[in-house]
Amino acid sequence: MPRAKTHRSASDLVAAGLAPPQALLELERVAARYAVSLTPDLGELIAASDPHDPIARQFVPDPAELDRRADESADPIGDDANSPVEGIVHRYPDRVLLKLAYVCAVYCRFCFRREMVGPGRRRALSAAALAAALAYIRDHPEIWEVILTGGDPLVLSARRLHAATAALAAVDHVKVVRIHTRVPIADPALVTPTLVRALKAVGKATYVVLHANHPRELTAAARTACARLVDAGIPMLSQSVLLRGVNDDAATLAALMRALVECRIKPYYLHHGDLAPGTAHLRTTIAHGQALIRGLQGRVSGLCQPAYMLDIPGGHGKSPIGPSYIRPLPATTDGQCFEVEDFKGGRHVYPPGSAGA
Ligand code: SF4
């Protein structure tokens, strides 16, 4: 049976019943600005009758994207300012991003790299640029970890991925290769045994970080794709973005984190939405995010707890943004006491003598 096609335009989405015909002109204006791609695997998850469907909200363009706020930026986390050579972002001392691909299987409406990824540009780093990026990594012995991102590296051929992981495997000081992807969810059939073999940087710890935002994304096919990676000895972590109308309620977030852990994927980060252009309608407040994390704490297994992170605008890096369960009390003659909150909201004093001599 021929594979259903990927929707790549506003008219594709209208024809598939995933957007109303009367919105076509406006959605074409959005699509002219920001790339559109919705794979059959994700398209099938959308309940077209639900105007608030959480999968549609992530991938079907919204006229609100044309509303660009003054505090939003084309490069909200400062990739460009921290890029010494094309394809490398060196923000933290011991690790770099290596942006291999400039395209993705799907285009997320909230993407913080939405001005940098999409069709109409090169699909991947050129051979010369990749050689220069690898030379940069070789020349910097402090680089312990290389994070393949983009774009989505898993849209590249197994041959191309293997060339990159093999080159990284040959660098003594690189000990960890981490690959960020949405492909096991967006197009699970791409995760073939050949691709899995290509991902492993032989002799290094290779991790895959899955981007997932709603429990419905973890379909049987997506779970099989992830199992293929984990069974091959590749540990998996997840990152999610907190999105208004998608996962900003305690039940959805708990179901997502549990589904990930059931797939042997450790929830790693829950990102607060970045100040990417035209994404205000998808962001929540930090106070709401903290309340949701508080709701997970204690009520859901510790395995299911991601760190709630903010990428500080301007390229200053990520910081955990709480909530905090401990506060100092006024010091006594015995030393510093703390008040610690339990998962039910009860408060308890941690005495100064507890640190030992
Ligand atoms: S897959 Fe990642 S890089 Fe690509 S559009 Fe989505 S969030 Fe952005």
Side-chain angles (χ1 to χ4, degrees), residues 59 103-114 117 149-152 181-183 211 239 241:
F59 302 107
V103 290
C104 302
V106 281
Y107 291 107
C108 312
R109 309 322 300 167
F110 51 85
C111 177
F112 67 95
R113 295 206 177 104
R114 59 190 335 210
V117 296
T149 180
D152 195 320
T181 182
R182 211 147 165 45
V183 160
H211 179 169
Q239 58 171 351
V241 182

Side-chain angles (χ1 to χ4, degrees), residues 24-343:
L24 180 61
L25 283 181
E26 221 170 358
L27 296 190
E28 278 178 340
R29 283 178 60 216
V30 180
R33 184 79 190 76
Y34 304 113
V36 171
S37 177
L38 174 62
T39 54
D41 291 87
L42 282 169
E44 278 168 15
L45 295 181
I46 296 175
S49 56
D50 178 3
H52 307 295
D53 183 272
I55 309 298
R57 219 167 143 67
Q58 295 181 66
F59 302 107
V60 175
D62 187 313
E65 291 173 52
L66 296 172
D67 173 18
R68 181 175 176 159
R69 308 282 169 94
D71 55 5
E72 293 175 339
S73 153
D75 182 16
I77 68 165
D79 276 2
D80 287 347
N82 291 288
S83 181
V85 296
E86 188 187 349
I88 293 282
V89 177
H90 198 170
R91 199 184 330 265
Y92 304 98
D94 72 339
R95 54 206 183 273
V96 291
L97 304 183
L98 173 55
K99 296 189 196 176
L100 281 185
Y102 294 115
V103 290
C104 302
V106 281
Y107 291 107
C108 312
R109 309 322 300 167
F110 51 85
C111 177
F112 67 95
R113 295 206 177 104
R114 59 190 335 210
E115 301 271 7
M116 304 170 197
V117 296
R121 64 199 84 214
R122 270 205 321 274
R123 187 172 162 77
L125 210 54
S126 69
L130 178 59
L134 291 168
Y136 180 88
I137 292 168
R138 278 193 289 271
D139 289 348
H140 287 77
E142 72 275 21
I143 297 174
W144 172 83
E145 180 183 26
V146 177
I147 301 161
L148 303 187
T149 180
D152 195 320
L154 264 65
V155 299
L156 300 178
S157 67
R159 184 189 54 77
R160 216 161 179 158
L161 281 168
H162 175 70
T165 55
L168 293 171
V171 183
D172 268 356
H173 56 263
V174 172
K175 304 297 184 193
V176 178
V177 175
R178 188 189 341 156
I179 300 152
H180 282 226
T181 182
R182 211 147 165 45
V183 160
I185 279 171
D187 196 351
L190 287 180
V191 186
T192 60
T194 308
L195 185 96
V196 172
R197 275 194 300 278
L199 290 181
K200 286 184 94 169
V202 177
K204 312 290 178 180
T206 306
Y207 287 77
V208 167
V209 179
L210 177 75
H211 179 169
N213 296 329
H214 192 277
R216 236 199 267 163
E217 294 170 29
L218 290 155
T219 59
R223 287 173 190 242
T224 300
C226 293
R228 194 165 277 157
L229 290 159
V230 178
D231 288 344
I234 299 178
M236 287 187 75
L237 306 168
S238 72
Q239 58 171 351
S240 306
V241 182
L242 182 59
L243 295 167
R244 199 196 313 169
V246 174
N247 56 17
D248 64 335
D249 64 275
T252 303
L253 219 44
L256 171 63
M257 300 308 158
R258 281 183 165 150
L260 288 163
V261 171
E262 288 162 18
C263 295
R264 296 175 285 167
I265 301 170
K266 170 73 187 89
Y268 173 46
Y269 280 167
L270 175 67
H271 295 279
H272 191 73
D274 292 306
L275 296 174
T279 61
H281 61 294
L282 291 167
R283 283 194 296 275
T284 61
T285 62
I286 287 178
H288 183 51
Q290 289 178 330
L292 288 168
I293 290 286
R294 230 172 238 285
L296 287 181
Q297 177 63 29
R299 290 177 177 80
V300 182
S301 163
L303 285 176
C304 300
Q305 310 288 335
Y308 182 34
M309 304 298 291
L310 177 72
D311 230 310
I312 304 168
H316 303 289
K318 293 182 186 65
S319 284
I321 52 173
S324 173
Y325 301 91
I326 190 163
R327 70 179 181 96
L329 294 171
T332 68
T333 48
D334 292 333
Q336 180 69 63
C337 287
F338 290 88
E339 183 185 69
V340 190
E341 187 183 328
D342 68 33
F343 75 99

